[in-house]
Amino acid sequence: MRKTIISTVSIMVFGMALVFFVHSSNNRFALVVNEDGVTYQLDKRSGKTWLIEGNKKTPLDDPAAPRPKLEKFEMASEELKKLQVEGRINKGTFFGKLYNGTDQPLTRVTFKVNAREADGRLRWSRDFTEGMFVKPQTTGRFAITVTDGDDVGEVSWTIIKAFTRPLTNGSPAGR
């Protein structure tokens, strides 16, 4: 009986160690996308980092070194007309969907939001900037916390500014 208990416990410990090893091996790398849409691969064990651009993976030797920055450009007013927004305010959050009908990735957008009382008087008018990455010809979502957003009547918004960056070589998605 004692040998059976010892062998059962030994098998369980070996099995748990095997599961831990397999899990840590399969869960070793993480893909991280920053707010500008730049993708990095991180090795959780060693701390090594790679910049991913299209099909190219460039190692970054010093994780503390500054990352390469892609130039951002403000979209022209005719390009802003190709952006379509559906949004609303509910429980202190302005949220919705934004369709990027341009041929460039969207990296940041500035909304002018007007909230009116139930009787039509203007309660407030504010500008909100949201960093988001929306590929060309796709839809992205946003959620912006607002103060004094409860019990508003009608809400209207316009896009004041939008920012883009050039597509990287070999990447139709813009990453």
Side-chain angles (χ1 to χ4, degrees), residues 44-92:
K44 293 179 186 177
R45 237 186 250 164
S46 68
K48 290 184 181 179
T49 307
W50 295 269
L51 172 67
I52 298 177
E53 298 176 295
N55 294 331
K56 191 170 73 172
K57 189 170 152 181
T58 308
L60 299 174
D61 296 329
D62 181 10
R67 303 292 188 247
K69 296 263 184 192
L70 296 170
E71 286 187 56
K72 288 185 184 178
F73 302 100
E74 188 172 340
M75 286 184 166
S77 59
E78 60 270 1
E79 293 293 309
L80 289 179
K81 295 175 185 173
K82 297 178 183 177
L83 303 176
Q84 299 172 4
V85 179
E86 293 177 14
R88 64 186 178 128
I89 291 182
N90 189 16
K91 297 183 181 177

Side-chain angles (χ1 to χ4, degrees), residues 2 10 50 64 90 98 102 108 116 122 126 137 155 166 171:
R2 186 176 172 133
S10 298
W50 295 269
N90 189 16
L98 186 144
T102 69
R108 188 167 39 115
R116 299 196 176 276
L122 183 66
R126 299 183 188 144
Q137 311 296 320
V155 177
S171 175

Side-chain angles (χ1 to χ4, degrees), residues 87-96 113 115 124 142-153 155 157:
R88 64 186 178 128
I89 291 182
N90 189 16
K91 297 183 181 177
T93 304
F94 174 53
F95 64 94
V113 180
W124 51 258
F142 62 90
I144 303 169
T145 303
V146 297
T147 56
D148 194 23
D150 295 332
D151 301 323
V152 295
V155 177
W157 57 87

Side-chain angles (χ1 to χ4, degrees), residues 3-169:
K3 289 182 181 182
T4 305
I5 293 174
I6 292 173
S7 62
T8 304
V9 170
S10 298
I11 290 171
M12 289 175 56
V13 168
F14 176 75
M16 289 189 307
L18 182 64
V19 166
F20 174 77
F21 176 73
V22 169
H23 175 71
S24 64
S25 295
N26 289 337
N27 196 21
R28 180 175 175 177
F29 296 97
L31 288 178
V32 178
V33 180
N34 73 1
E35 68 182 26
D36 295 333
V38 180
T39 305
Y40 299 97
Q41 182 179 19
L42 305 173
D43 184 342
K44 293 179 186 177
R45 237 186 250 164
S46 68
K48 290 184 181 179
T49 307
W50 295 269
L51 172 67
I52 298 177
E53 298 176 295
N55 294 331
K56 191 170 73 172
K57 189 170 152 181
T58 308
L60 299 174
D61 296 329
D62 181 10
R67 303 292 188 247
K69 296 263 184 192
L70 296 170
E71 286 187 56
K72 288 185 184 178
F73 302 100
E74 188 172 340
M75 286 184 166
S77 59
E78 60 270 1
E79 293 293 309
L80 289 179
K81 295 175 185 173
K82 297 178 183 177
L83 303 176
Q84 299 172 4
V85 179
E86 293 177 14
R88 64 186 178 128
I89 291 182
N90 189 16
K91 297 183 181 177
T93 304
F94 174 53
F95 64 94
K97 299 185 292 187
L98 186 144
Y99 174 73
N100 180 7
T102 69
D103 294 329
Q104 296 292 318
L106 183 67
T107 58
R108 188 167 39 115
V109 66
T110 301
F111 300 100
K112 176 171 264 328
V113 180
N114 297 315
R116 299 196 176 276
E117 299 287 351
D119 63 3
R121 289 181 295 123
L122 183 66
R123 180 185 287 188
W124 51 258
S125 179
R126 299 183 188 144
D127 294 349
F128 296 102
T129 299
E130 179 73 1
M132 58 190 332
F133 186 82
V134 183
K135 297 176 189 176
Q137 311 296 320
T138 61
T139 301
R141 296 186 181 277
F142 62 90
I144 303 169
T145 303
V146 297
T147 56
D148 194 23
D150 295 332
D151 301 323
V152 295
E154 182 181 326
V155 177
S156 61
W157 57 87
T158 56
I159 297 176
I160 301 173
K161 295 181 189 176
F163 294 87
T164 184
R165 63 174 172 75
L167 294 168
T168 55
N169 292 336

